[in-house]
Amino acid sequence: MPGRRLSVAERAQIEVLWGQGWSIPRIAEAIGRDRSTVWRELRRNNSYRWPEVAGGRAARHPGR
C-alpha cells in the first residue's frame, strides 16, 4: 500500500493555505507531503472549481 492517507487536520490545513493563496508546492512542503498529493486533494474536493475562493487561481497539475 502506498503512503498514509491525509488526516482531517491535513485536509483542513490544505484548504486554509490554498485559500490564503499558497502554491501547491509550498503547501506540500509545509505539511510534509508530495505536491501531487496536495493537487489530488484539491481536485478531489473541487477546490479548483471555485477560483474566487482560491484568490482567482485554479489548481493546476503540479507537473504542468
Side-chain angles (χ1 to χ4, degrees), residues 2 6 10 12 18-19 22-23 25 31 36 43 46-47 50 53 56-57 59 63-64:
L6 287 171
E10 288 173 317
W18 180 251
W22 285 37
S23 67
I31 67 169
S36 63
R43 182 177 167 136
N46 298 317
S47 297
W50 296 291
V53 173
R57 299 174 305 116
R64 298 190 180 154

Side-chain angles (χ1 to χ4, degrees), residues 16-38:
V16 168
L17 296 176
W18 180 251
Q20 291 176 355
W22 285 37
S23 67
I24 291 173
R26 189 172 170 203
I27 294 170
E29 186 177 325
I31 67 169
R33 294 297 195 123
D34 191 82
R35 63 187 185 171
S36 63
T37 301
V38 174

